Amino acid sequence: MASLTGDPKIDALLIEHADEIRRLEAFGREKAEEIDRLIAKFHESREKRTGTVGAK
């Protein structure tokens, strides 16, 4: 979660919305993992199609 800033207004908002922030951070991590898998799948498919398996 985002760390407290020292600004009372911002910190109050962070505390108030902590659950939503954690949920969105988890969602972002899940999406990043999904994107990484899709990119790997794309590269694998491309290597098979071009015949350059193992080459970078």
Side-chain angles (χ1 to χ4, degrees):
M1 182 174 126
S3 54
L4 299 179
T5 64
D7 181 321
K9 290 180 182 180
I10 300 297
D11 290 348
L13 287 171
L14 288 172
I15 292 167
E16 181 181 342
H17 299 286
D19 290 339
E20 181 71 6
I21 292 168
R22 276 192 290 278
R23 189 185 69 73
L24 290 170
E25 287 174 336
F27 178 75
R29 282 189 298 276
E30 291 170 8
K31 282 298 178 184
E33 290 171 3
E34 180 183 350
I35 290 168
D36 288 342
R37 284 192 302 274
L38 290 171
I39 290 171
K41 189 174 180 178
F42 167 79
H43 286 296
E44 181 182 314
S45 173
R46 186 175 180 193
E47 288 173 351
K48 286 179 183 177
R49 189 176 64 247
T50 61
T52 57
V53 175
K56 296 242 176 197

